[in-house]
Amino acid sequence: LEGLPPTVNHLYLQHGGRRYKSPEGRAYQERVCADMHRRWAQEPYSGHAELHITYRTRDKHRWDIDNRVKALQDCLVIAGVLKDDSQIRRLIVERTDSDVTATYLRLIEYSRNLVVHA
């Protein structure tokens, strides 16, 4: 996937005690969900899964890698790849240096022994 997902701090906004998705979060979600749905157009998987996330970037700024996971998990559900993000039983997240900024996903579906890449 091109670029990095928004952090949790940028994914949601709060106003008057009400929490809602930010314009940045909605735009990211629309773009990524359409891409995921196009790549993985099938019935949503309902078994246990393992998710590997790799953020590749040349950005040297400090940021927490776990703050960007929620946006990706939400997209997997909205795009119909998973029924619910609680199906993820193992989560591996890493950040590597690269000349290109991108997010790589690898979803391993336990019962189907199927590996899906994005």
Side-chain angles (χ1 to χ4, degrees):
L1 304 170
E2 185 180 320
L4 299 173
T7 66
V8 172
N9 298 332
H10 290 100
L11 185 60
Y12 295 102
L13 298 174
Q14 191 161 338
H15 182 70
R18 192 170 152 257
R19 191 173 167 199
Y20 60 95
K21 199 155 284 183
S22 69
E24 176 187 358
R26 279 194 309 273
Y28 175 82
Q29 191 173 56
E30 288 172 10
R31 179 178 59 83
V32 170
C33 287
D35 188 29
M36 286 181 175
H37 184 71
R38 187 178 65 252
R39 291 175 192 242
W40 299 326
Q42 61 182 356
E43 280 293 309
Y45 178 66
S46 59
H48 295 173
E50 181 174 307
L51 179 61
H52 297 237
I53 302 169
T54 302
Y55 304 117
R56 297 185 69 188
T57 179
R58 63 175 160 212
D59 179 5
K60 301 299 182 201
H61 292 94
R62 290 178 44 186
W63 46 270
D64 297 339
I65 61 173
D66 60 323
N67 262 347
R68 297 178 183 271
V69 172
K70 185 63 179 156
L72 293 169
Q73 289 177 320
D74 287 349
C75 287
L76 286 168
V77 173
I78 293 166
V81 177
L82 295 174
K83 285 192 180 268
D84 190 87
D85 57 2
S86 66
Q87 296 167 239
I88 298 169
R89 295 299 177 105
R90 185 170 188 214
L91 177 64
I92 299 170
V93 185
E94 66 180 327
R95 177 180 174 177
T96 62
D97 295 331
S98 176
D99 289 338
V100 177
T101 299
T103 301
Y104 294 88
L105 299 178
R106 182 174 182 224
L107 180 68
I108 301 172
E109 301 174 346
Y110 286 170
S111 66
R112 288 191 207 168
N113 290 324
L114 176 66
V115 179
V116 181
H117 298 275

